[in-house]
């Protein structure tokens, strides 16, 4: 946002200044050149910061409401033409591997000052404690997201959920998956919408990472797909788009939306 604001002010200044110079004057090319020179980086900064601008708008539009915010990371784990989904421990649905980011103790003072509170839809227990699934005063939403984007006092490594769901559970071979390589694909944001389930205005944000398995890890995943496992499913793109339904076979299972479709 600072870059957008800076270029925006310069753009306004040069636009206001330009009418005071005649097109035939010696300074007109200089001012018009400055205008173009500011316009290009302004557009670039605006496009690059479109998500930030969105949250600034939400902070104004929903300033008097409490907003439910879910901040998570999920893995795209693909073998051939199928994607690995795992059965949720909390609901009868299948989801991509991953989960909600966690905050550290260092975040407490700052988030308390913003009025951020734990979400009351999911019971707070040993598993969900410190989850970044919270309720944020609308007026502080932009500030909260700027804190999250800095990556301070919160989880930034993505091994925990992968380990808990696939390694610790014994679904994949712990001797093979002692570490993982993964690549950030994109950040997806489900814009502000009212959730009847949560009875609140809600924003869902997820970072999508693609697993980059070693040859040995890929072989283990291929073996897992061949033998199957009670807790996982391998879904095609079409099944994911249809939330678990298959043409001619009906609703074989249920996947969570919208996050599930973001791994495609």
């Amino acid at each position: 946002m600072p870059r957008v604001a800076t270029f925006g002010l310069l753009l306004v200044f040069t636009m206001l200044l330009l009418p005071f110079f005649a097109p035939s004057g010696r300074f007109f090319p200089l001012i018009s050149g400055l205008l173009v020179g500011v316009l290009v980086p302004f557009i670039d900064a605006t496009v690059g910061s479109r998500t930030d601008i969105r949250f600034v708008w939400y902070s104004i539009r929903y300033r008097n409401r409490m907003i439910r915010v879910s901040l998570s990371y999920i893995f795209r784990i693909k073998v051939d033409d199928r994607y690995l989904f795992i059965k949720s421990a909390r609901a009868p649905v299948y989801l991509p591997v991953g989960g909600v980011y966690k905050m550290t103790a260092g975040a407490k003072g700052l988030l308390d000052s913003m009025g951020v509170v734990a979400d009351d839809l999911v019971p707070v227990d040993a598993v969900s404690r410190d989850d970044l699934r919270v309720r944020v005063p609308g007026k502080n939403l932009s500030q909260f997201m700027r804190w999250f984007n800095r990556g301070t006092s919160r989880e930034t490594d993505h091994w925990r959920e992968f380990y808990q769901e696939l390694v610790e559970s014994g679904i994949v071979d712990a001797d093979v998956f002692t570490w993982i390589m993964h690549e950030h694909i994109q950040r997806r944001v489900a814009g502000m919408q009212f959730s009847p389930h949560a009875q609140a205005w809600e924003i869902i944000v997820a970072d999508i990472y693609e697993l980059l398995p070693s040859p040995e890890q890929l072989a283990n995943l291929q073996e897992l797909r061949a033998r199957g496992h009670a807790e996982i499913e391998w879904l095609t793109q079409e099944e994911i788009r249809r939330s678990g339904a298959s043409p001619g076979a009906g609703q074989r299972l249920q996947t969570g939306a919208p996050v599930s479709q973001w791994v495609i």
Side-chain angles (χ1 to χ4, degrees):
M1 280 303 296
R3 290 181 65 235
V4 176
T6 300
F7 289 128
L9 289 173
L10 287 172
L11 185 62
V12 171
F13 176 74
T14 52
M15 290 177 67
L16 292 174
L17 195 61
L18 194 61
F20 291 96
F21 296 90
S24 58
R26 60 185 296 187
F27 291 107
F28 187 85
L30 178 64
I31 300 300
S32 58
L34 178 61
L35 176 61
V36 173
V38 172
L39 181 61
V40 172
F42 174 74
I43 294 173
D44 178 68
T46 301
V47 172
S49 304
R50 61 189 181 276
T51 299
D52 292 337
I53 294 173
R54 178 190 300 188
F55 286 112
V56 171
W57 163 242
Y58 288 154
S59 290
I60 297 170
R61 173 66 176 82
Y62 299 93
R63 62 176 291 102
N64 295 321
R65 297 183 180 274
M66 288 294 286
I67 309 301
R68 185 175 189 259
V69 182
S70 175
L71 303 165
S72 64
Y73 58 91
I74 59 175
F75 283 94
R76 176 194 293 169
I77 303 176
K78 186 179 180 183
V79 172
D80 299 324
D81 62 340
R82 292 183 178 266
Y83 299 76
L84 189 154
F85 275 57
I86 188 166
K87 188 175 182 181
S88 170
R90 293 186 179 275
V93 298
Y94 284 81
L95 300 166
V97 171
V100 178
Y101 282 103
K102 288 188 178 291
M103 70 186 85
T104 68
K108 181 172 174 53
L110 178 61
L111 298 191
D112 284 349
S113 71
M114 294 185 204
V116 176
V117 297
D119 178 46
D120 59 5
L121 186 62
V122 177
V124 178
D125 54 25
V127 175
S128 65
R129 185 172 292 110
D130 299 324
D131 277 359
L132 279 173
R133 185 190 291 111
V134 293
R135 306 228 175 186
V136 182
K139 63 181 180 180
N140 293 327
L141 184 59
S142 179
Q143 181 186 3
F144 173 77
M145 288 305 300
R146 287 198 301 272
W147 163 79
F148 176 77
N149 289 336
R150 288 196 298 270
T152 57
S153 300
R154 71 164 176 89
E155 181 179 26
T156 56
D157 181 79
H158 309 97
W159 171 247
R160 177 181 56 84
E161 286 284 355
F162 187 96
Y163 176 79
Q164 290 176 350
E165 295 188 358
L166 292 181
V167 182
E168 187 177 44
S169 63
I171 293 177
V172 298
D173 190 336
D175 293 331
V176 174
F177 284 90
T178 57
W179 55 271
I180 57 171
M181 289 287 288
H182 56 285
E183 180 179 16
H184 185 253
I185 302 302
Q186 62 180 327
R187 172 172 291 181
R188 295 292 300 268
V189 179
M192 187 75 73
Q193 56 188 329
F194 186 79
S195 167
H197 181 59
Q199 282 297 294
W201 289 93
E202 178 182 67
I203 293 174
I204 299 174
V205 180
D207 287 321
I208 318 300
Y209 288 86
E210 181 161 17
L211 180 69
L212 303 175
S214 67
E216 189 178 12
Q217 290 170 344
L218 178 59
N220 186 241
L221 290 171
Q222 289 171 330
E223 189 273 332
L224 173 64
R225 179 183 165 185
R227 64 178 163 83
H229 191 285
E231 297 298 312
I232 66 171
E233 291 284 345
W234 293 90
L235 304 182
T236 64
Q237 284 193 14
E238 186 68 17
E239 288 174 320
I240 296 169
R241 291 193 179 97
R242 293 172 177 263
S243 298
S246 299
Q251 192 75 39
R252 185 165 64 87
L253 51 86
Q254 186 69 44
T255 64
V259 175
S260 292
Q261 298 190 12
W262 292 348
V263 298
I264 298 176

